[in-house]
Amino acid sequence: SSQAIYVDVTNTIATGAHTGIQRVVRRLSDELNSSEFVFIFFNGTHYVEANIHSGVFSIDEKPTEITFCRGDVFIDIDASWGDRLDRMRLYKSLKNAGIRIINLHYDAVPVLHPAYSHPTTVWRYLEHFVSMLIYSDRVICISQAVKNDLKKITNLVKSRTPTMSVIDMGADILDIKKTYSTLPEFLAKKKFILM
């Protein structure tokens, strides 16, 4: 049988969120929406096929249950450390079944700056992060700085370093013309940081 490329979008569907990572997942999924990629959702017992149209995911009334086969590719692009499914157990079973794992890595803030995250997020993220280091075949980082941080961490803890590459986010910015406007009065006279 031919290989399938599965894209896990469980967290975005489960949370219904439209900001941050989930916004990226929705936009990227719209761009990847073709017969080459199968979007999947973990429903609590198994993965089922999901659909996307204009940033909106849906699950059929009787969805197709996913059966992974040797040679398939599992792409984790979501905030999956917030999912119910234990990544260490999942990744180990996928690797044992001959499935290749690719992660989209946004940053390592809960590792590098745990004070900026909720303690539960730090713990769950660390489990996810370690699973990625142990089992991932490729980690796609969203910037060179994120890749450098990941290398720094793997060197520091002397762990396996998965193959890494960089994909820049916001690839359409070259088409946008620069526009300037005056700041609102309440900002014009104060120091501020815009993020």
Side-chain angles (χ1 to χ4, degrees):
S1 65
S2 62
Q3 93 176 20
I5 304 173
Y6 295 106
V7 182
D8 187 346
V9 293
T10 300
N11 188 266
T12 296
I13 293 173
T15 63
H18 290 269
T19 60
I21 290 173
Q22 292 80 17
R23 177 179 50 82
V24 174
V25 169
R26 290 173 189 281
R27 180 71 175 108
L28 185 56
S29 297
D30 268 336
E31 292 295 322
L32 296 176
N33 195 7
S34 70
S35 60
E36 295 179 58
F37 298 92
V38 180
F39 300 99
I40 57 175
F41 169 74
F42 186 72
N43 67 5
T45 57
H46 52 270
Y47 275 102
V48 296
E49 194 168 332
N51 308 300
I52 183 140
H53 180 69
S54 299
V56 177
F57 285 105
S58 62
I59 309 289
D60 293 338
E61 191 174 317
K62 292 183 179 177
T64 302
E65 188 173 328
I66 301 303
T67 303
F68 299 107
C69 298
R70 181 168 297 283
D72 287 347
V73 178
F74 180 90
I75 305 177
D76 194 339
I77 64 171
D78 215 336
S80 53
W81 53 90
D83 295 347
R84 296 182 286 179
L85 188 57
D86 179 297
R87 280 305 191 234
M88 187 69 77
R89 190 174 314 152
L90 171 65
Y91 286 2
K92 182 178 182 178
S93 68
L94 290 173
K95 291 306 292 180
N96 288 341
I99 313 302
R100 289 176 288 163
I101 301 170
I102 299 173
N103 290 83
L104 182 56
H105 179 60
Y106 296 91
D107 62 57
V109 170
V111 175
L112 297 172
H113 307 285
Y116 298 146
S117 299
H118 188 279
T120 302
T121 301
V122 172
W123 179 251
R124 294 185 77 181
Y125 186 88
L126 282 171
E127 290 177 326
H128 180 278
F129 190 80
V130 170
S131 302
M132 179 182 73
L133 293 181
I134 293 171
Y135 294 110
S136 186
D137 294 285
R138 176 173 292 275
V139 176
I140 302 170
C141 301
I142 65 163
S143 70
Q144 189 61 47
V146 168
K147 181 180 175 183
N148 293 344
D149 284 345
L150 187 55
K151 280 183 178 177
K152 194 182 318 177
I153 293 168
T154 60
N155 289 337
L156 182 67
V157 298
K158 297 181 181 6
S159 74
R160 170 185 173 269
T161 303
T163 301
M164 292 184 252
S165 57
V166 174
I167 181 172
D168 294 325
M169 302 300 277
D172 297 330
I173 61 173
L174 297 177
D175 294 335
I176 299 172
K177 294 180 182 174
K178 290 184 180 179
T179 58
Y180 300 92
S181 61
T182 57
L183 289 172
E185 189 175 323
F186 72 94
L187 286 178
K189 297 179 182 175
K190 298 183 179 196
K191 293 180 180 180
F192 68 94
I193 297 174
L194 180 63
M195 296 176 40

